[in-house]
């Protein structure tokens, strides 16, 4: 298909494009409202838009391209969508239900090259980046699913924690964030959006300078370089000291709290001495530590899940050291909701 996703264009770009093709600025806002407020699935559904404009848009853009190939729903209300892209590649998007609202976890790449040994996404190497439109469309796919329910609900939060490294797809990530934050459309507040990175220190500086004001989460998972390099290849490129310098830059420029994500792996990084070392590493930074129970990638996983009692001891050490800390509430354990698991099952030889 030689057309482009209409979701690739933030409002400002759509406005510029339509003006360059002889239409008024107001036409862009009209089309935008149909896309994001009324969730039009075709251009012909935009009933009050000029027919010449609709023909022009239809000649250059498409709205829907994702094909839902599988959907799994958990007993806790979590829904995982396996979506097929136009080129046949598969990605995952997850809807999670919280007390504070509904959040959607989106994917930014087909596969992942970060090589984190505990992550199902890393089992399948990166094939390509997703366009900003392909990331936006994941969110729109889930929202349309909610719209069709008897009591329609609105997505309130977005986490960019699906397959891939978001900061490795920087330009498309920024475009996606601009689109979903726009107050004329989905109007998802920056404070309700979280981007997670495995620790690309150089990109964290760019992310800070972009002044997006969304939340940033760092996949830390170890309190020292020796252990972190063992489980996360990225640490050999950006060791902890370099990562912390970038984090301090982010904290200084954003004035927002940062989250350190820490997967607890039995007998590897879950001892009280690891908690003490982690507390010393984070120090007085404006941060929250999110302790994550491990979901084994498969039955042959080299890692095991930390017992709940051990997790509580780890948590207690951090709290006594004055750190803000929480243990993540698990979602969709019964439907392989950990990142990349469902896709891996459908592509066993990928």
């Amino acid at each position: 298909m030689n057309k482009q996703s209409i979701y690739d264009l933030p409002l400002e770009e759509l406005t510029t494009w339509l003006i360059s093709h002889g239409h008024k600025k107001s036409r862009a806002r009209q089309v935008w409202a149909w896309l994001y407020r009324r969730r039009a699935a075709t251009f012909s559904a935009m009933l009050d838009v000029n027919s010449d404009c609709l023909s022009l848009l239809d000649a250059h853009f498409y709205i829907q391209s994702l094909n839902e190939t599988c959907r799994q729903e958990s007993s806790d209300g979590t829904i995982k969508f396996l979506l097929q892209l136009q080129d046949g590649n598969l990605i995952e998007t997850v809807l999670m239900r919280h007390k504070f609202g509904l959040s959607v976890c989106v994917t930014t790449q087909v596969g992942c090259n970060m090589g984190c040994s505990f992550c199902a996404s890393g089992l399948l190497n990166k094939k390509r980046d997703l366009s900003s439109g392909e990331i936006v469309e994941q969110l729109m796919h889930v929202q349309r699913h909610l719209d069709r329910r008897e009591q329609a609900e609105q997505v309130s939060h977005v986490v960019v924690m699906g397959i891939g490294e978001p900061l490795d797809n920087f330009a498309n990530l920024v475009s996606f964030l601009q689109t979903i934050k726009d107050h004329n459309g989905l109007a998802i507040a920056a404070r309700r959006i979280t981007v997670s990175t495995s620790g690309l220190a150089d990109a964290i500086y760019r992310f800070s300078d972009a002044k997006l004001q969304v939340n940033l989460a760092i996949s830390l998972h170890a309190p020292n370089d020796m252990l972190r390099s063992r489980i996360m290849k990225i640490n050999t490129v950006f060791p902890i000291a370099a990562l912390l310098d970038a984090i301090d830059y982010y904290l200084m420029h954003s004035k927002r709290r940062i989250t350190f994500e820490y997967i607890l792996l039995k007998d590897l990084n879950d001892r009280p001495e690891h908690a003490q070392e982690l507390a010393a590493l984070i120090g007085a930074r404006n941060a929250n530590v999110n302790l994550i129970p491990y979901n084994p990638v498969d039955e042959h996983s080299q890692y095991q899940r930390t017992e709940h009692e051990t997790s509580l001891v780890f948590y207690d050490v951090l709290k006594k050291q004055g750190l803000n800390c929480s243990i993540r509430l698990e979602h969709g354990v019964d439907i392989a909701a950990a990142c990349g698991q469902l896709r891996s099952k459908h592509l066993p030889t990928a």
Side-chain angles (χ1 to χ4, degrees):
M1 185 182 293
N2 294 322
K3 298 181 182 181
Q4 181 183 5
S5 171
I6 190 71
Y7 295 130
D8 276 333
L9 277 61
L11 179 56
E12 183 177 351
E13 292 183 24
L14 177 61
T15 302
T16 300
W17 191 91
L18 282 172
I19 290 175
S20 71
H21 286 77
H23 292 273
K24 296 180 180 180
K25 180 178 180 179
S26 59
R27 188 68 71 199
R29 290 188 178 275
Q30 191 178 21
V31 171
W32 191 263
W34 272 105
L35 287 172
Y36 295 103
R37 294 288 177 88
R38 301 182 184 180
R39 263 84 78 173
T42 63
F43 291 113
S44 60
M46 301 179 182
L47 301 178
D48 58 353
V49 178
N50 179 280
S51 60
D52 290 340
C53 179
L54 293 180
S55 296
L56 177 69
L57 290 171
D58 191 50
H60 289 85
F61 301 100
Y62 59 84
I63 298 179
Q64 288 187 300
S65 65
L66 299 180
N67 178 40
E68 184 179 313
T69 65
C70 179
R71 182 191 305 176
Q72 292 184 338
E73 187 161 359
S74 169
S75 57
D76 64 18
T78 300
I79 303 176
K80 170 165 274 194
F81 300 85
L82 187 67
L83 304 173
Q84 186 177 50
L85 303 168
Q86 283 186 336
D87 60 7
N89 281 305
L90 297 173
I91 60 172
E92 298 173 2
T93 306
V94 182
L95 171 67
M96 292 168 286
R97 190 171 294 275
H98 307 270
K99 291 181 179 179
F100 55 77
L102 297 176
S103 68
V104 172
C105 179
V106 297
T107 284
T108 55
Q109 296 177 320
V110 179
C112 184
N113 282 343
M114 294 301 105
C116 299
S117 59
F118 50 81
C119 180
S121 295
L123 295 176
L124 303 165
N125 290 334
K126 172 186 166 182
K127 292 186 176 180
R128 68 174 178 87
D129 292 329
L130 296 189
S131 73
S132 59
E134 289 173 320
I135 307 173
V136 172
E137 192 179 347
Q138 295 172 61
L139 184 54
M140 298 307 299
H141 184 91
V142 175
Q143 184 57 63
R144 288 196 187 95
H145 165 77
L146 293 171
D147 292 341
R148 289 191 292 269
R149 292 193 163 189
E150 185 175 348
Q151 292 184 327
E153 298 174 284
Q154 186 82 23
V155 173
S156 58
H157 294 68
V158 173
V159 289
V160 190
M161 296 182 181
I163 298 170
E165 165 55 60
L167 297 189
D168 188 41
N169 188 11
F170 194 87
N172 289 325
L173 170 69
V174 171
S175 179
F176 162 73
L177 295 174
Q178 290 172 337
T179 294
I180 67 171
K181 290 196 304 175
D182 194 287
H183 68 275
N184 296 293
L186 295 174
I188 297 178
R191 69 181 183 278
R192 295 183 172 183
I193 303 170
T194 300
V195 174
S196 177
T197 176
S198 61
L200 274 64
D202 56 347
I204 292 174
Y205 289 102
R206 294 176 61 199
F207 186 82
S208 305
D209 291 339
K211 301 185 186 305
L212 298 164
Q213 289 301 304
V214 303
N215 302 307
L216 183 63
I218 306 295
S219 294
L220 188 61
H221 307 314
N224 59 65
D225 281 322
M226 184 177 68
L227 185 53
R228 192 166 191 264
S229 295
R230 176 179 168 183
I231 63 177
M232 299 181 71
K233 291 181 180 179
I234 190 64
N235 198 71
T236 62
V237 181
F238 297 110
I240 291 176
L243 178 58
L244 289 177
D245 285 344
I247 288 169
D248 289 340
Y249 184 87
Y250 168 83
L251 290 171
M252 180 176 64
H253 286 79
S254 71
K255 310 300 181 185
R256 300 182 75 87
R257 176 180 292 181
I258 199 162
T259 295
F260 289 100
E261 297 172 321
Y262 196 99
I263 289 180
L264 292 167
L265 304 171
K266 184 177 180 179
D267 297 330
L268 182 66
N269 67 352
D270 64 348
R271 302 293 93 189
E273 56 267 30
H274 294 131
Q276 291 280 4
E277 193 174 2
L278 179 61
L281 186 71
I282 295 173
R285 290 180 175 88
N286 183 19
N288 179 70
V289 179
N290 189 14
L291 301 176
I292 305 172
Y294 174 61
N295 284 324
V297 172
D298 56 38
E299 63 273 18
H300 306 296
S301 176
Q302 62 181 301
Y303 303 117
Q304 293 181 321
R305 185 184 181 91
T306 293
E307 291 89 350
H308 183 62
E309 294 75 13
T310 303
S311 301
L312 293 179
V313 171
F314 197 99
Y315 169 87
D316 191 54
V317 171
L318 294 181
K319 293 294 285 185
K320 287 180 178 178
Q321 294 297 315
L323 269 66
N324 293 300
C325 183
S326 59
I327 299 177
R328 178 182 290 179
L329 181 65
E330 295 184 90
H331 293 271
V333 175
D334 55 332
I335 59 167
C339 180
Q341 284 185 316
L342 182 58
R343 176 175 179 261
S344 297
K345 290 182 178 181
H346 281 253
L347 291 173
T349 61

